[in-house]
Amino acid sequence: MNAYSKTPLLDTIRTPEDLRKLKVEQVRQVADELRQETIDAVSVTGGHFGAGLGVVELTTAIHYVFDTPRDRLIWDVGHQAYPHKILTGRRDRIRTLRTGGGLSGFTKRSESDYDPFGAAHSSTSISAGLGMAVARDLSGGKNNVIAVIGDGAMSAGMAYEAMNNAGAMNSRLIVILNDNDMSIAPPVGAMSAYLSRLYSGKTYRTLRDAAKQINKRLPKILANRANRVEEYSRGFMMDGGTLFEELGFYYVGPIDGHNLDHLLPVLKNVRDMEEGPILVHVVTQKGKGYGPAEASADKYHAVVKFDVATGTQAKAKPNAPAYQNVFGQSLVKEAQKDDKIVAITAAMPSGTGVDIFNKAFPDRTFDVGIAEQHAVTFAAGLASEGYKPFCAIYSTFLQRGYDQIVHDVAIQSLPVRFAIDRAGLVGADGATHAGSFDNAYLGCLPNMVIMAAADEAELVHMVATQVAIDDRPSSLRYPRGEGRGIEMPDVGVPLEIGKGRMIRQGNKIALLSFGTRLAECEKAADELAAHGLSTSIADARFMKPLDTELVLKLARDHDVLITIEEGSIGGFGSHVAQFLTDQGVLDTGMVRFRSMVLPDVFQDHDTPAAMYARAGLDAKGIVAKVFEALGKDVKAETVKLA
């Protein structure tokens, strides 16, 4: 043991098995050291922060009481799982979090046996846990299944669907509700802790079951009265548990999630229960134990690298404006002219720029919580009454509302405006947050206008275009991060629907871009020109309706036509190919056509630049694709040029 270590006890723990060998009075020290290590690690890597600090004691207590990984522990979303990773054999790699080849920022099955279910999207833990519990029962197993879900995640319908099913099945499942924001619990103290321990203990449960049997034999009026007395006694400390009990869960709580003297005995009692399902309501504080996080409005939910002593986060060099801010500011300008414009988001106001709109128009802003399905149909209802809803949701989260997009919006041709943030690859959050599929999953829907902004100025004009589209739904996609730093228009001007634009005129190679790969197309065109290949560049602007006139002209006037997009197979390139084949353009072989899309794999986290390079969607990859289409070797051509 290192005498100078800030974490001498934690240094002795490689896995939870080592933790469980300690005396109960040592667990507090482990938790304190685990918090210190989490702070130190995230100060180096950045990442989700406040949520992890809030569950340090809970994480330590669960691994101390339960036999993980035999007992299955599922963290909903997974952004609070950094302390869990430190305790489960990954401490030596914790400073590789969210970097290329390093640990994932979320739970991941392929990373560790202690991660039985991968996450990153919210509200899946209870459904997955119930599946594991039923699998255990069918196999004759005895292990516990524990799902830890935050109060924000409990705003999603899927969590209640799972609880309703679990309650009806009476399967032995433990759900821990980590309540750090709902305030559905009163201040938790000694009486609450005592009652929680009492009600989770075997004696009380045995007496309660016996009382139920006796009640069945009592005259109805007496039985009802006895039940009411018991409900009132439990209601005294529950104040929020009634809903969970109605869903068929045995409710325990609320208990102080930072007090191990309260947590440990209750978790032991719950572990030893032979029936289920059980809900343990734990109240925690996001950012707990780190002053700057506790004092911050967002509790340092997600951070970049920071100074541990002061909490000051490293500032990125001021560059171009972030796309989400351009969207928010553009929407404000449009809403100043049109009082029918409203903004909707699903728990991501700052991530989508809706927070900017909210400051200007709080009464016209709706954050519906983690409920994308509801958000879409709610927007459809507004649109049906003549309002102009902008539904701002990340591409990867909009997938959750797909049925509603089809049935409630597209079939009825309601003018819901989808602002799709995080289009394309997103870097450190990896595959779970990459906006890879919206071109494909929206492109197949009738009645849909689909746009992609090539830069921040185009985004301004496309917001104005969406305002003007009042007879059908529309979508506008843009990436995470900063724009190009180009001159911005004062006001947005609606674009002609289904019309692209020529950026550069050549005569041999045509690059047709959909989205922000346009900048890479320009770099590629410069390199191709150096090889003597005159190159045209066009910005499609619209995937649907497609600018067929532009596509035909590019195909007829060039030897090679290549489409480039930040999306999967089945998107823009597929639409162009379908049109060209239908027109018979490819029958004659007069143009060599290729489409460049994201590779057909789920790419692991890295920097966006590295991910795009690996995907072949940078300037170098575009040049290589041109030479491949021409049947030439790019390396050999480069040598000739030299």
Side-chain angles (χ1 to χ4, degrees), residues 48-61:
H48 290 100
F49 188 49
L53 292 184
V55 296
V56 164
E57 286 83 5
L58 181 60
T59 304
T60 311

Side-chain angles (χ1 to χ4, degrees), residues 134-146:
V134 168
R136 171 203 63 209
D137 296 343
L138 291 172
S139 304
K142 295 292 182 189
N143 61 296
N144 292 289
V145 179
I146 310 104

